Amino acid sequence: MDNNKPIGIFDSGIGGTSIWKEIHHLLPNEKTIYLADSKNAPYGQKSKEEIIALSMKNTDLLLEMNCKLIVVACNTATTNAIWELRAKYDVPFIGIEPAIKPAANQSLTQTIGILATQGTLNSELFNKTIEKYQNTKIIEQVGHGLVQLIENGKINSTEMTELLRSYLTPMIEANIDYLVLGCSHYPYLIPQIKKMLPKHIQIIDSGEAVARQTQTLLKEKIGFTTAQNSESVFYTNTDPSVLQSILGNGYSIERKDF
Ligand code: DGL
């Protein structure tokens, strides 16, 4: 039965596991297959054509593995390739986009910050979204270097602290009261970011919203699994040690060429 097939999830690397965690938390019985395309990270500096081609490669593999729906757990891939993916494949897709809407709607200073990749901030989809919030000042910052440091296991390094400080200080000075994390790798930086931001600034990411959307899509169109024991399988095309360290023990991680 279709509803017992796995949910496929992909990202340019290990960051999308922040989305997988939310999905697994909300839907613990669902089987998931996660592809970490770390070999090709970061996607954020690639052309739209390259991002589309990589997203299709990941989708093809997840479909070979018989997935019932695909979560694009990468803002860069979603904002550059989701239209093309939906046009090419019949399988339903859920994408992840920066949570501009809740931040803009709740901001009291009418000034919000967004930290995301160049690919996301340059995309047509993102720029169409922000057109709707003309009354909010949006301070955009490309998180140059952050994804590479996370992929290399340097979440708690001095380099990371220095980069984050240089990206966040101008936003604090501009009086933001919401910081949108527009890249699925960045939730792993929340403990450090919290130490740098004044207490009144809220941090928003899209993980929970994506998990809720996944739940709704299963409920309304595809069906929940009837299995009682979920299985979470992770594939990476580079050294699995960093993925292993952020997931902890007890998960099946396999190295695979893709
Ligand atoms: N995790 C990704 C995102 O959400 C992409 C990072 C990258 O590969 O540049 O945008």
Side-chain angles (χ1 to χ4, degrees):
M1 278 201 310
D2 270 11
N3 50 341
N4 284 336
K5 292 177 175 180
I7 296 174
I9 304 170
F10 76 81
D11 179 41
S12 61
I14 61 176
T17 54
S18 65
I19 311 296
W20 167 81
K21 282 183 184 166
E22 299 290 348
I23 293 173
H24 185 59
H25 178 72
L26 191 66
L27 302 163
N29 291 328
E30 295 293 330
K31 175 172 181 181
T32 55
I33 298 180
Y34 182 96
L35 298 186
D37 189 14
S38 295
K39 188 175 79 185
N40 293 300
Y43 282 10
Q45 276 139 291
K46 297 193 189 302
S47 68
K48 182 175 167 69
E49 290 67 33
E50 285 172 304
I51 298 168
I52 292 171
L54 290 167
S55 301
M56 289 184 174
K57 167 196 66 109
N58 296 331
T59 300
D60 287 335
L61 180 54
L62 289 170
L63 291 179
E64 275 171 36
M65 295 175 176
N66 213 15
C67 291
K68 62 181 172 181
L69 89 106
I70 291 177
V71 179
V72 183
C74 174
N75 292 260
T76 311
T78 301
T79 53
N80 283 278
I82 197 87
W83 290 327
E84 288 77 5
L85 291 172
R86 289 195 170 124
K88 179 169 176 185
Y89 300 94
D90 287 335
V91 69
F93 285 91
I94 289 185
I96 167 168
E97 286 177 61
I100 296 293
K101 185 177 175 182
N105 287 347
Q106 293 168 66
S107 172
L108 297 176
T109 61
Q110 289 186 309
T111 310
I112 64 172
I114 164 145
L115 193 57
T117 69
Q118 191 150 23
T120 294
L121 295 179
N122 286 348
S123 68
E124 192 186 339
L125 186 57
F126 175 75
N127 285 286
K128 277 214 161 82
T129 303
I130 59 172
E131 269 173 23
K132 295 181 212 145
Y133 303 98
Q134 302 282 354
N135 296 331
T136 303
K137 191 169 173 198
I138 301 177
I139 318 278
E140 296 179 22
Q141 175 65 55
V142 175
H144 292 293
L146 301 179
V147 167
Q148 290 95 319
L149 287 176
I150 296 168
E151 288 289 324
N152 291 326
K154 294 186 178 161
I155 292 181
N156 292 307
S157 60
T158 319
E159 286 152 281
M160 182 66 89
T161 310
E162 279 166 11
L163 280 183
L164 282 174
R165 206 178 294 287
S166 71
Y167 299 154
L168 298 175
T169 304
M171 295 192 189
I172 299 168
E173 287 170 358
N175 202 23
I176 63 160
D177 58 357
Y178 278 84
L179 171 66
V180 178
L181 300 183
C183 170
S184 57
H185 281 68
Y186 300 167
Y188 288 110
L189 305 176
I190 289 175
Q192 274 127 297
I193 293 177
K194 273 195 174 150
K195 283 189 202 147
M196 291 178 198
L197 293 182
K199 293 261 173 304
H200 70 278
I201 301 179
Q202 310 280 328
I203 304 169
I204 298 198
D205 67 74
S206 318
E208 259 184 70
V210 170
R212 279 197 304 273
Q213 248 179 293
T214 307
Q215 185 182 41
T216 305
L217 186 64
L218 292 181
K219 186 172 169 198
E220 292 176 357
K221 301 226 165 79
I222 303 171
F224 295 111
T225 180
T226 53
Q228 292 303 309
N229 294 314
S230 72
E231 192 193 354
S232 304
V233 182
F234 297 82
Y235 292 99
T236 175
N237 48 18
T238 58
D239 173 5
S241 58
V242 182
L243 180 56
Q244 174 80 65
S245 71
I246 61 160
L247 288 174
N249 292 328
Y251 294 104
S252 157
I253 303 176
E254 284 178 41
R255 189 169 176 156
K256 187 176 172 66
D257 271 336
F258 61 91

